[in-house]
């Protein structure tokens, strides 16, 4: 094709950050978060992350749960790293999965969750009481509304979630002015 004519070859996108370079096809091992499962260095594939390496990367770079590959979420070591530095809401949303992974009435899980869901952490996170209430009712039910995951709720965690609910009440903002709350109790 002539200059400026068709067909033109697509230009690669400008890649500035390590994550951007990875998304746009650069295969250099420039940053641990750029390649989770497989490292590439000058086109050669290196070994995938181990559970220990993933846990270290999560702790070192404060990575969220959403960037962790699904198969690594089956590791207690990875979840321990996520719980130690992850947000309160992440802990609340994944209690059922954690219970299934750790098993019923697991003292290690209870210790990890208690360390994450302290009164100070709940106040600092500003988690809304409704979020805590939904997590409490979902966990207590033993299964979520969507999906096939089910677990046996630990009553010690249920009691902790009830405390977390009480601690989160000051996080709700006061509504100014007059309001009407109408509840429809009909079956339709």
């Amino acid at each position: 094709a002539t200059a400026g004519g068709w067909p033109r070859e697509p230009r690669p996108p400008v890649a500035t950050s390590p994550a951007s370079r990875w998304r746009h096809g650069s295969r250099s091992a420039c940053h641990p978060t750029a390649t989770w499962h497989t490292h590439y260095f000058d086109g050669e594939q290196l070994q995938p992350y181990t559970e220990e390496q993933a846990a270290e990367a999560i702790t070192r770079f404060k990575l969220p749960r959403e960037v962790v590959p699904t198969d690594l979420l089956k590791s207690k070591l990875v979840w321990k790293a996520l719980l130690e530095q992850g947000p309160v809401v992440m802990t609340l949303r994944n209690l059922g999965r954690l219970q299934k992974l750790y098993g019923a009435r697991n003292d290690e899980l209870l210790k990890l969750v208690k360390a994450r869901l302290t009164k100070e952490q709940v106040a600092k996170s500003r988690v809304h009481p409704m979020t805590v209430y939904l997590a409490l009712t979902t966990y207590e039910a033993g299964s979520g509304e969507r999906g096939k995951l089910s677990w046996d709720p630990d009553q010690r965690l249920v009691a902790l979630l009830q405390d977390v609910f009480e601690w989160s009440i000051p996080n709700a903002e006061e509504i100014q002015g007059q309001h009407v709350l109408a509840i429809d109790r009909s079956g339709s």
Side-chain angles (χ1 to χ4, degrees), residues 1 6 16 21 28 31 45 48 62 69 71 74 83 98 100 105 111 130 132 143 162 165 167 170 172 181:
W6 294 94
T16 55
R21 285 194 293 272
S28 65
H31 194 272
Q45 182 176 348
K62 299 194 182 318
D71 60 330
K74 298 174 185 167
L83 287 173
L98 291 166
K100 186 78 171 180
R105 296 196 53 82
K111 181 181 174 187
M130 195 64 183
V132 179
S143 66
Q162 290 169 344
F165 176 73
W167 299 335
L181 177 62

Side-chain angles (χ1 to χ4, degrees), residues 86-154:
V88 168
V89 174
M90 187 249 347
T91 305
L92 292 171
R93 287 184 179 161
N94 289 285
L95 283 173
R97 178 176 297 183
L98 291 166
Q99 186 70 51
K100 186 78 171 180
L101 177 67
Y102 277 85
R105 296 196 53 82
N106 188 293
D107 292 332
E108 182 183 359
L109 175 62
L110 182 65
K111 181 181 174 187
L112 287 170
V113 174
K114 273 187 173 181
R116 191 69 197 120
L117 299 178
T118 63
K119 189 173 186 174
E120 294 77 26
Q121 289 290 340
V122 171
K124 184 179 176 184
S125 72
R126 300 184 58 202
V127 63
H128 195 276
M130 195 64 183
T131 303
V132 179
Y133 177 74
L134 291 172
L136 169 62
T137 56
T138 301
Y139 179 75
E140 200 170 23
S143 66
E145 290 182 21
R146 295 174 277 169
K148 299 175 184 174
L149 184 66
S150 63
W151 56 88
D152 294 323
D154 185 342

Side-chain angles (χ1 to χ4, degrees), residues 167-182:
W167 299 335
S168 68
I169 290 174
N171 295 343
E173 294 180 18
E174 184 178 330
I175 300 173
Q176 300 297 322
Q178 295 180 352
H179 298 276
V180 174
L181 177 62

